[in-house]
Amino acid sequence: MKPPQHTALTFEKLFAEIDPKVANTFTVEQLEAIKRGFSSPAWTRHSLNIRVSVPIPGLRFYLVLLAGSERRSQVRLRSEKGLYPFWTPVNILFIIGFLSILSVSGYTIFSFILSSLTHLSSNYPTSIPWISDKSECEHTGRIWRDGKCWDSEHNPNF
C-alpha cells in the first residue's frame, strides 16, 4: 500500500491538470472515491522499477524499465496496444542497438574466457638453451632433437 502522503500528492497532481470548470463539478463523494482508487493495491509499486537519466550532452534523455504482475484488464491492454505500438522505428533501432551491444559483449566475454581456459591447459614445446648435451637433456626427461633439448610441457604462462 502506498503511503497516504504519496497518494495525496499523486491525486493533487492529477486534480491540478483537470480544467477548473470540470473540477468544480465533482462531488465530495466522487473525490473521495477517486482518492480511494489511488490508494488501492492496483497502484502499488512495480517489482522492478529502474528509472535513469542518461547523461548525453545536449539531450535530455531518460530510460524507464518497469516490470511486475500484469493487473490490467484485456480491454485496457487492447486499447494501450493501439496507443503505444511496440514496433516503431525508434523502438526497432533501440532493440537492434541493444542486441548488437549485448552480442558483441557476450562474444568478447566468451572468447576471453575460452582463450584463458585454452592457455591454461595448452603446452607449447620449446628448446631449453642452457642444456647443450644429449645425456643431460634426456636425464631431465626432455627430448633431444636437431641438436637441441626440447621441453614439450612448456607453458607460456610460466
Side-chain angles (χ1 to χ4, degrees):
M1 187 89 119
K2 284 185 175 180
Q5 182 183 15
H6 181 71
T7 301
L9 289 174
T10 305
F11 174 76
E12 294 302 325
K13 285 181 185 178
L14 173 74
F15 197 72
E17 294 293 320
I18 298 174
D19 184 325
K21 291 178 187 174
V22 175
N24 289 334
T25 64
F26 287 116
T27 66
V28 174
E29 292 83 17
Q30 289 171 327
L31 292 173
E32 289 302 318
I34 293 170
K35 285 181 184 178
R36 278 193 307 275
F38 273 103
S39 63
S40 75
W43 286 83
T44 56
R45 295 175 132 342
H46 293 87
S47 302
L48 176 66
N49 187 345
I50 300 173
R51 297 166 189 261
V52 180
S53 291
V54 181
I56 299 175
L59 294 175
R60 293 179 53 89
F61 183 74
Y62 68 94
L63 181 67
V64 176
L65 179 61
L66 300 173
S69 300
E70 181 63 78
R71 293 182 292 234
R72 296 175 291 178
S73 69
Q74 291 299 320
V75 173
R76 182 174 169 196
L77 286 171
R78 281 192 296 276
S79 70
E80 286 184 358
K81 191 174 187 178
L83 289 174
Y84 308 108
F86 185 77
W87 297 110
T88 64
V90 173
N91 289 358
I92 292 169
L93 287 174
F94 175 80
I95 291 167
I96 289 170
F98 178 75
L99 292 176
S100 298
I101 290 170
L102 188 65
S103 61
V104 168
S105 300
Y107 176 77
T108 303
I109 291 169
F110 178 73
S111 61
F112 175 75
I113 291 170
L114 187 63
S115 68
S116 295
L117 293 175
T118 56
H119 282 287
L120 290 176
S121 62
S122 296
N123 296 318
Y124 301 90
T126 189
S127 67
I128 308 299
W130 60 87
I131 300 177
S132 57
D133 182 352
K134 179 180 178 181
S135 63
E136 185 182 350
C137 177
E138 291 173 347
H139 176 72
T140 60
R142 297 182 176 105
I143 301 169
W144 185 261
R145 187 177 62 229
D146 300 327
K148 294 182 180 177
C149 184
W150 291 91
D151 182 358
S152 62
E153 295 181 7
H154 178 73
N155 187 322
N157 295 327
F158 173 66

